Amino acid sequence: MTESVLVVPGDGVGREVVPAAIEVLEAVADLEFVEADAGDRVKRETGEALPEETYRRAGEADATLFGAAGETAADVVLPLREAVDSFANVRPVRAYPGVDALRPETDLAFVRENTEGVYAGIESEVADGVTTLTRVITEEASRRIAEFGFDYAADNGYDDVTVAHKANVMRATDGRFLDGVAAVAEERAERDAAGADYEPALMDALATDLVVRPEEYGVVICPNLAGDVLSDLAAGLVGGLGLLPSANVGAGNGLFEPVHGSAPDIAGEGVANPAATVLSAAMLLEHLGEEEAAARVRTAVEGVLADGPRTPDLGGDASTAAVTDAIVARL
């Protein structure tokens, strides 16, 4: 049976890099693509950033490839992650040969809890000029992301697992997060499962240490906001956000998107780096069980990053189309 992939280009450079990723996917796999839309432009035209039909199709598809949203990002991305029942956001951060990286030894992955924390969006105005944000941390979600993170480390050959937290200040919420991780690690150790060892790290100190010693880290399990911020920081170690893919995964479905956002400063110029979206498409293939095709795509991207052509963010002058053509040619 042919798997169906919902394609949501969204705003800004999403409308340039998503078609590039589709070209690559068509070169390696037999997939059925269904297009829908969301974002700023859709809100201007229809009054809603995420049409109900797009939300429904995301839940029905085998996977969704998403580009970016601009000002309406919170109204699009968070509900789409909910539509695919995603609880984990995976953001690999690697330095590639041929790319001028600040820390070429970097090879790690952030496993970010995707459903709660401050991103649960519970905000209130309690008095005139006074607003609050409720931070939600549950035992169930903490245990679930810990289990996923330990499995991800074992499956992908990472020996080091770090758990980011700020339990010295947020004692109740991050304390619960750490307790959930510790309970899972203890249970895994009792059944002799792989990947039960980990080190807790205060997230602010971790931000410094990632820059100074990235080679000492493998998988970093994070609450929602910390995972978002720390992975963007780590992007600066390897050449920028144009190289970071991501996967939002649940029990069966998944949403795959570049980390870089809509990049309005270069939207429409045809020079956006498609690498992050193409690598997100490789993660999509892996999710669908197409491991060989995913490996081929990654190899092709790595070859183009090493030998060129390169887009301006990596010091070149090539267009999005030229880089895409080079990837497809290697396939």
Side-chain angles (χ1 to χ4, degrees), residues 70-106:
E71 296 296 324
T72 57
D75 302 316
V76 174
V77 181
L78 299 183
L80 277 178
R81 291 172 180 169
E82 177 188 90
V84 302
D85 197 23
S86 159
F87 66 85
N89 179 217
V90 182
R91 294 183 171 185
V93 183
R94 284 189 57 204
Y96 294 95
V99 175
D100 185 15
L102 180 64
R103 292 293 185 184
E105 64 273 33
T106 304

Side-chain angles (χ1 to χ4, degrees), residues 4-7 58 61-65 84 253-256 284 287-288:
S4 66
V5 175
L6 180 67
V7 178
D62 294 304
T64 296
L65 181 65
V84 302
N253 206 333
L255 171 72
F256 302 83
L284 182 152
H287 172 76
L288 295 178

Side-chain angles (χ1 to χ4, degrees), residues 71 73-75 78 116-127 129-136 225:
E71 296 296 324
D75 302 316
L78 299 183
E116 48 186 37
V118 295
Y119 281 25
I122 306 173
E123 297 184 281
S124 303
E125 183 170 354
V126 295
V130 181
T131 53
T132 63
L133 171 63
T134 301
R135 187 170 193 259
V136 178
L225 176 60

Side-chain angles (χ1 to χ4, degrees), residues 31 132 168:
L31 301 171
T132 63
N168 59 332

Side-chain angles (χ1 to χ4, degrees), residues 8 14 23 42 52 54 86 102 122-123 125 131 144 164 176 182 203 205 258 262 274-276 278 282 295 305 308 325:
V8 186
E23 283 189 51
V42 176
E52 176 61 32
T54 301
S86 159
L102 180 64
I122 306 173
E123 297 184 281
E125 183 170 354
T131 53
R144 184 171 57 179
R176 183 174 296 281
M203 62 181 70
S262 63
V278 174
L305 289 173
D325 289 345

